[in-house]
Amino acid sequence: MNVLYSHNVKIVGIVILAILVSMFFAKPKWENVQNSVNSPFMWQGKLEKKENLLNPMSHYHPMSHEAKQTFRLTIPFFMKIFNLDPIHLYIFQYILAFFIYLFWSILSYKIFQNYQLVLLSTCVMATTYFGRSFYVDSWGALDTYCYFLILLAMWGRKKVYILTPATIALFFVDERGIISFFTIWLSIKLFDTDRSSITWKQLVSLKDTSKYLIGVFIACMAVRMYLSLFHGMHTPSEGADISMAIEQWKSIQRGLFVGIIGVWGILFYSLYFSYIKKNYMFFFMIGFGILLFTGISVMVIDIYRSIAYIVPLVLLCFKLFSLYSHDVKPILIVILLINIMSPFYVIAGDGASGSYYYPVFFDILFKMKSMISI
């Protein structure tokens, strides 16, 4: 009992410390939340869906933000059931952020069995958009919910009563959440193995909870088709296609970088590591994941938000390293320093407005410099 209590205290301590680190190195934009709550543009679509979940949103321009919310039913559903307003969703978003950090720390500990590495791993996540979204992004309370549901599904990968509702909700939060079924599938197959290799037969086997993930996907697609055929609900194809990538090609590298910053180093190092270890299964899965998430991200305007959906795949990279008892501490330290020293930048599309969210210690240096100048 004392050991379990001590473990829980350490994990919660890591969570709190990582949140503080995240917020220290990218200033929270609380004023943006207030502006968003009072902005009809930010919430008009969700409020309409709250009143009528079957609203096809066809009265909006196909390229509008509201038109893309046709099948994003999870948040309007909860708003309707619990009679929630936008401010309530933001408050709930901050609560979910704690559990994002908690699930990440628990999953990291299962891999590393070392509290120092868990702290470093959680701080690496905390200094990407994945860990910062809940306090720097006020755009309609969306991505944080997806990130939470992804990690909830990974944490509850063996429990059908957790995996099933989490993935159903994820499917209808945002279309980008659907591609994260790939990461959840890999977590079911690879997270609990103690073998450095896994066969293709084991990867596609449906003897575990992966069959429920497939069932959720098929059922949700059937619901989506039913809503399209009988209620005229459609998502505008103009919102995400290859023409978007061509149009904003000048911003692609910037958007891809600021979303996950140094985490790219972990992903590509794991590709190199799996190749030299001749673990071609991991090599293919990680490589396919990079191509999948990158390809989807460059076809939407908010690249930095979309590429952050790849961050949970890093946990599978950590699993790869652990199978070979590879020392990841130096890698985590370097990536964390890169994340900390890189100013966080929110950008959407070529030429779109963005804001640098400089780390707090940069502000201190600027203030000291201005005082010296005086």
Side-chain angles (χ1 to χ4, degrees):
M1 180 63 72
N2 290 335
V3 173
L4 179 61
Y5 175 79
S6 175
H7 168 75
N8 292 338
V9 169
K10 289 178 181 177
I11 291 296
V12 172
I14 288 172
V15 168
I16 294 173
L17 181 58
I19 291 175
L20 293 176
V21 167
S22 178
M23 297 178 74
F24 184 80
F25 290 116
K27 295 193 304 182
K29 308 299 287 185
W30 308 123
E31 67 276 12
N32 287 3
V33 171
Q34 182 62 39
N35 294 335
S36 174
V37 169
N38 297 327
S39 171
F41 170 72
M42 295 287 190
W43 287 96
Q44 186 172 347
K46 288 187 179 65
L47 291 175
E48 287 188 28
K49 293 295 287 186
K50 172 186 175 182
E51 296 302 319
N52 179 13
L53 293 174
L54 300 179
N55 187 337
M57 310 297 280
S58 56
H59 54 291
Y60 288 105
H61 189 279
M63 284 297 290
S64 67
H65 176 68
E66 290 79 6
K68 300 172 186 176
Q69 300 182 45
T70 306
F71 291 105
R72 298 176 183 179
L73 303 175
T74 300
I75 292 177
F77 174 78
F78 282 105
M79 291 178 72
K80 188 179 188 70
I81 293 298
F82 298 105
N83 194 27
L84 301 178
D85 294 321
I87 188 62
H88 300 136
L89 287 182
Y90 281 122
I91 293 172
F92 197 48
Q93 176 173 286
Y94 302 143
I95 296 173
L96 291 185
F98 175 84
F99 288 97
I100 288 176
Y101 281 70
L102 180 63
F103 291 145
W104 185 280
S105 298
I106 292 173
L107 292 169
S108 294
Y109 184 80
K110 181 170 180 57
I111 296 170
F112 296 126
Q113 299 291 306
N114 180 296
Y115 293 110
Q116 287 186 355
L117 294 180
V118 172
L119 176 60
L120 287 172
S121 167
T122 308
C123 286
V124 165
M125 179 275 294
T127 48
T128 66
Y129 179 79
F130 192 93
R132 290 168 166 166
S133 64
F134 75 99
Y135 66 86
V136 300
D137 184 19
S138 57
W139 190 270
L142 185 72
D143 297 297
T144 301
Y145 286 79
C146 277
Y147 301 158
F148 163 76
L149 290 168
I150 294 167
L151 291 182
L152 174 63
M154 292 177 68
W155 173 73
R157 62 196 175 279
K158 289 184 175 181
K159 304 177 178 68
V160 178
Y161 58 88
I162 295 177
L163 178 67
T164 302
T167 47
I168 291 174
L170 177 63
F171 189 98
F172 290 108
V173 174
D174 187 288
E175 287 76 10
R176 291 168 295 190
I178 300 174
I179 63 175
S180 294
F181 276 50
F182 171 77
T183 307
I184 297 169
W185 177 279
L186 290 184
S187 71
I188 294 172
K189 298 297 182 179
L190 305 176
F191 214 88
D192 299 293
T193 183
D194 56 359
R195 294 174 294 178
S196 58
S197 62
I198 182 173
T199 66
W200 287 101
K201 184 177 179 179
Q202 291 171 320
L203 186 67
V204 300
S205 171
L206 297 180
K207 293 181 179 179
D208 48 27
T209 52
S210 59
K211 59 179 172 288
Y212 297 102
L213 186 64
I214 291 292
V216 165
F217 180 81
I218 294 174
C220 290
M221 285 300 296
V223 170
R224 186 171 173 131
M225 289 179 62
Y226 169 81
L227 294 175
S228 296
L229 292 173
F230 296 98
H231 294 279
M233 296 172 62
H234 301 279
T235 298
S237 59
E238 295 90 340
D241 55 29
I242 193 65
S243 64
M244 180 66 71
I246 296 173
E247 179 181 339
Q248 61 180 1
W249 67 272
K250 292 180 180 179
S251 300
I252 285 177
Q253 72 278 17
R254 181 169 47 178
L256 291 176
F257 173 74
V258 299
I260 61 175
I261 317 177
V263 166
W264 282 114
I266 299 176
L267 292 169
F268 283 109
Y269 180 74
S270 65
L271 272 180
Y272 164 77
F273 184 82
S274 58
Y275 180 78
I276 63 173
K277 293 295 184 181
K278 298 183 178 180
N279 193 329
Y280 299 119
M281 176 64 73
F282 265 95
F283 178 85
F284 176 80
M285 288 295 106
I286 295 170
F288 179 77
I290 292 174
L291 293 175
L292 174 65
F293 286 96
T294 302
I296 296 297
S297 297
V298 300
M299 290 193 292
V300 295
I301 195 168
D302 46 356
I303 301 172
Y304 69 98
R305 286 190 185 101
S306 303
I307 195 59
Y309 283 80
I310 201 176
V311 171
L313 189 63
V314 170
L315 290 168
L316 278 303
C317 297
F318 293 155
K319 179 63 179 181
L320 168 67
F321 299 144
S322 70
L323 292 174
Y324 293 92
S325 301
H326 185 62
D327 183 14
V328 298
K329 187 174 182 180
I331 302 171
L332 290 174
I333 292 174
V334 170
I335 299 303
L336 179 58
L337 289 175
I338 292 173
N339 287 1
I340 287 174
M341 297 304 295
S342 301
F344 185 62
Y345 189 74
V346 173
I347 178 120
D350 187 20
S353 60
S355 301
Y356 275 109
Y357 293 158
Y358 281 111
V360 169
F361 73 89
F362 276 19
D363 281 351
I364 294 173
L365 291 177
F366 294 153
K367 288 181 175 63
M368 291 176 61
K369 181 178 181 299
S370 62
M371 290 174 64
I372 294 174
S373 299
I374 294 174

